[in-house]
Amino acid sequence: MTVTKKAGVLGATGSVGQKFILLLSEHPDFELYKLGASERSAGKKYENAVKWRQTATVPEFAKPKVVVECKPEEFLDCDVVFSGLDSDVAGDIETAFSDAGLLVVSNAKNHRMDDDVPLVVPLVNPNHLDVTVRKLKTAKAQNVKKGSIVCISNCSTAGLVVPLGALVEKFGTISQCMVTTMQAISGAGFAPGVLGFDILDNVIPYISGEEDKLETEVSKILGGVSEADVFVDRPGMTISAQCNRVAVSDGHLECVSIKFEQSPPPSLEEVKQAMRDYVCEPQTLGCFSAPQHTIYVLDEPDRPQPRLDRDRDNGYAVSVGRVRPDPIFDYKFIVLSHNTILGAAGAGVLIAETLLAKGAM
Ligand code: NAP
């Protein structure tokens, strides 16, 4: 018999929150138990509080649920709490939840670079979750009320770091990486989001804070853990990022050039094969949402494309194409990932499945 765990969602009315509701609505491991949002929404039935903007309709069981304020005491029965909170408020609320003994899986940026908080892309560094599992088990054994926060990466980082992780695992350090992103509108959320008039017939060559996130998060994700359970950046890797918003609904496309530390670099065929062969841990653990194949390396000259390739393995896999030599770096390629699945709520759900498989709850 499958035992379902109770899940809460903070920011349940927002863009990421709605995706959490959908992904958890028919999940075999988690039961959607509590929904939280701002005091503007608290006290209302979910169907009245939410401005629903998904193609699937609001799940029936969620409609009558009464939205509560994001206070730990409302969520104490939850085994895991997913956060899609606005970053203006996420930091303090998530800390309060962790201090109250709750396990929080967060989409917000606030705690991502804390050196005792794992920053996890589940296809790349689920081993960092071992720290969380250890902490939760120790707290339980000592009967101490101590929860934990796990952060999901920025959505453009999530796509980039998967092929980089596969290549680093096989060939060691990538010393230089240059990336130019073409990011979907959904990544900006609903409020204030991107105005239709601004993005129509246009490309916006600026996304506030995004380049910094790409340039710093990758080293933490590909880094290690010290004996004191502190996360340590991977040394010797420099990333230069340029980020653009384009008129695509879902799916971030990124043009990537890389240089290996090893000289001579691996061959083109070895690079492609390493990505094709890469298997992520959630696959081997048999997690419900894990992709069948982590990286699809496409040979067609005009792929991947957001509309055609973003939903591969329900949005949990990444697609790589146009892998070829680069006259300045060693190789260049295109990577596509689903920004609201692998880059947001889906990653949160897959992290929770991995934590469950590793015995954290
Ligand atoms: P959003 O659509 O604006 O939703 C924000 C949510 O936060 C709403 O549910 C809102 O509730 C709630 N909220 C706002 N102020 C609050 C308060 N004072 N107390 C409690 N709840 C409050 O934002 P989003 O796009 O879903 O993004 C959510 C988080 O995920 C952000 O930190 C964002 O940076 C991050 N993220 C987003 C994406 C993406 O693809 N959109 C990807 C990765 C990460 P009300 O409806 O009641 O106002």
Side-chain angles (χ1 to χ4, degrees), residues 26 42 58 60 75 80 97 164 169 171 183 235 264 266 296 300 318:
E26 285 176 10
V58 186
E60 282 305 317
F75 290 78
V80 58
F97 272 61
L164 294 188
E169 182 180 280
F171 305 114
Q183 299 184 217
Y296 287 85
E300 297 90 332
V318 304

Side-chain angles (χ1 to χ4, degrees), residues 40-300:
R40 295 179 289 276
S41 307
K44 295 181 187 164
K45 286 184 182 170
Y46 186 67
E47 63 180 331
N48 299 328
V50 71
K51 190 162 183 192
W52 188 258
R53 287 185 171 105
Q54 309 297 320
T55 44
T57 52
V58 186
E60 282 305 317
F61 75 95
K63 286 182 179 174
K65 278 200 173 286
V66 175
V67 177
V68 297
E69 282 191 58
C70 296
K71 294 182 173 164
E73 55 270 28
E74 296 278 8
F75 290 78
L76 290 178
D77 290 340
C78 291
D79 298 291
V80 58
V81 177
F82 298 96
S83 169
L85 282 172
D86 194 313
S87 58
D88 285 350
V89 296
D92 290 345
I93 294 178
E94 291 168 1
T95 300
F97 272 61
S98 171
D99 288 347
L102 288 158
L103 169 61
V104 180
V105 180
S106 173
N107 263 272
K109 64 181 179 188
N110 309 62
H111 292 290
R112 279 185 197 152
M113 300 312 286
D114 294 1
D115 63 9
D116 60 345
V117 170
L119 175 61
V120 176
V121 173
L123 308 190
V124 180
N125 64 332
N127 58 315
H128 286 192
L129 295 172
D130 297 343
V131 172
T132 307
V133 176
R134 255 196 314 276
K135 280 184 186 167
L136 290 171
K137 281 187 173 170
T138 305
K140 199 172 177 186
Q142 295 172 344
N143 209 11
V144 176
K145 234 185 182 188
K146 189 81 193 103
S148 219
I149 300 173
V150 176
C151 284
I152 301 161
S153 78
N154 176 52
C155 46
S156 52
T157 307
L160 173 66
V161 79
V162 178
L164 294 188
L167 295 174
V168 164
E169 182 180 280
K170 184 79 180 177
F171 305 114
T173 299
I174 288 172
S175 52
Q176 293 175 341
C177 169
M178 199 164 88
V179 56
T180 302
T181 70
M182 286 160 271
Q183 299 184 217
I185 306 163
S186 56
F190 295 153
V194 177
L195 295 180
F197 190 75
D198 288 339
I199 195 71
L200 199 65
D201 186 29
N202 209 2
V203 172
I204 300 171
Y206 175 68
I207 304 174
S208 175
E210 197 78 357
E211 292 168 356
D212 282 350
K213 288 177 198 163
L214 264 168
E215 290 172 2
T216 54
E217 290 182 6
V218 170
S219 300
K220 180 170 178 182
I221 294 163
L222 297 181
V225 188
S226 77
E227 278 184 17
D229 278 349
V230 163
F231 294 94
V232 186
D233 283 358
R234 186 178 185 92
M237 189 171 189
T238 307
I239 297 183
S240 168
Q242 299 198 69
C243 297
N244 305 285
R245 187 77 68 196
V246 297
V248 165
S249 58
D250 286 320
H252 289 354
L253 200 68
E254 306 180 43
C255 301
V256 185
S257 294
I258 53 166
K259 191 167 185 55
F260 289 97
E261 192 176 67
Q262 78 166 63
S263 180
S267 71
L268 180 61
E269 269 321 304
E270 286 171 328
V271 165
K272 285 189 188 179
Q273 200 57 43
M275 291 196 266
R276 283 199 172 104
D277 289 347
Y278 180 73
V279 178
C280 66
E281 196 186 357
Q283 276 176 272
T284 49
L285 289 171
C287 294
F288 175 72
S289 307
Q292 285 176 354
H293 204 81
T294 307
I295 305 175
Y296 287 85
V297 180
L298 311 176
D299 287 322
E300 297 90 332

Side-chain angles (χ1 to χ4, degrees), residues 4-8 29-33 77-81 361:
T4 53
K5 298 291 177 184
K6 291 190 170 92
D29 302 327
F30 301 105
E31 168 202 352
L32 197 52
Y33 187 65
D77 290 340
C78 291
D79 298 291
V80 58
V81 177
M361 54 182 114

